Amino acid sequence: DMWQEMMRLTLAIVGKTLFDADVESEAPEIGKALTDVMQLFGRITNPLGGLLDKLPLPANIRWIKAKARLDSTIYRMIDERRASGEDRGDLLSMLLLAQDEEGDGSSMTNEQLRNEAMTLFIAGHETTANALTWTWYLLSQHPSVEARLHDEIDTVLAGQLPTAADVARLPYTEMVFAEAMRLYPPAWTLGRRVLTDYPVGPYTVPANAIVLMSPWVMHHDSRFFPDPFKFDPERWTPE
């Protein structure tokens, strides 16, 4: 199951780069918790969501358990880092060192650290795994694109592992990923809560409304992308 493999891979990477921690062994449990959280995303658009959250429904019990599982990992890393006081040059160290320069100079509470860390933990893990999985699927269906991708990687990297500095030297690779994310955007819907009544053209969006925009719909609109369901990395040339 390529998706599970990519979830394990991206979890290991995000754990190391953001928190300098080894969380790969927890991948199955964290992956299940993330899946439960994502499946309940639609609750925020339900007018009865606030009421439903208070009922002992199976979905609510799954949500509570999933949240507790994710929190246990994040809070453990925060506690370990606070105890050591070590600056490892990762994101968690930066957050711990951050101070409120416009206020009283205080540092973040554990809850604030958890909120920041959880956002990046999920954003850098599940969505990246989805993007990679769909990319491998599309390459498996388009052998000529796959061959050209391999040719560029072999020529440019010559067997070496890539670094950030190599991205500019891999234009076709970048085009492949861009087209894969156009066809299968990892974040297929984006939501924002309106704080105050907000005019949009002839309409007024009322305060507290949830506004949703779907990149998937936009990316498959022929007004913007001719032959929108075709996998064509060549759309992303500079021309």
Side-chain angles (χ1 to χ4, degrees), residues 66-216:
K67 180 177 176 295
R69 180 62 190 84
L70 296 173
D71 280 347
S72 68
T73 295
I74 297 294
Y75 278 123
R76 187 192 74 234
M77 290 189 289
I78 292 172
D79 290 340
E80 289 175 353
R81 190 65 56 84
R82 280 201 191 278
S84 71
E86 183 181 0
D87 180 1
R88 300 186 186 178
D90 56 5
L91 176 90
L92 185 55
S93 292
M94 293 172 64
L95 293 175
L96 282 164
L97 291 170
Q99 293 182 322
D100 182 6
E101 297 179 357
E102 298 179 0
D104 58 5
S106 61
S107 301
M108 289 189 182
T109 65
N110 275 11
E111 184 178 6
Q112 288 173 320
L113 285 167
R114 175 260 181 212
N115 291 344
E116 296 290 342
M118 186 68 74
T119 299
L120 291 162
F121 192 61
I122 294 175
H125 170 42
E126 196 256 358
T127 50
T128 308
N130 287 344
L132 288 168
T133 303
W134 283 116
T135 301
W136 308 148
Y137 165 73
L138 288 165
L139 288 172
S140 75
Q141 306 298 305
H142 299 83
S144 61
V145 175
E146 182 184 18
R148 184 174 170 184
L149 174 70
H150 278 283
D151 181 62
E152 178 178 82
I153 292 171
D154 293 341
T155 301
V156 173
L157 299 179
Q160 299 298 310
L161 289 175
T163 68
D166 293 312
V167 172
R169 303 167 59 216
L170 298 166
Y172 191 71
T173 303
E174 190 170 357
M175 288 158 56
V176 167
F177 279 114
E179 180 67 346
M181 289 193 289
R182 181 192 69 82
L183 276 170
Y184 297 107
W188 51 270
T189 185
L190 305 173
R192 295 291 185 272
R193 184 184 298 276
V194 183
L195 299 181
T196 60
D197 289 357
Y198 192 85
V200 180
Y203 306 99
T204 297
V205 184
N208 293 318
I210 298 291
V211 178
L212 297 177
M213 188 277 283
S214 174
W216 195 97

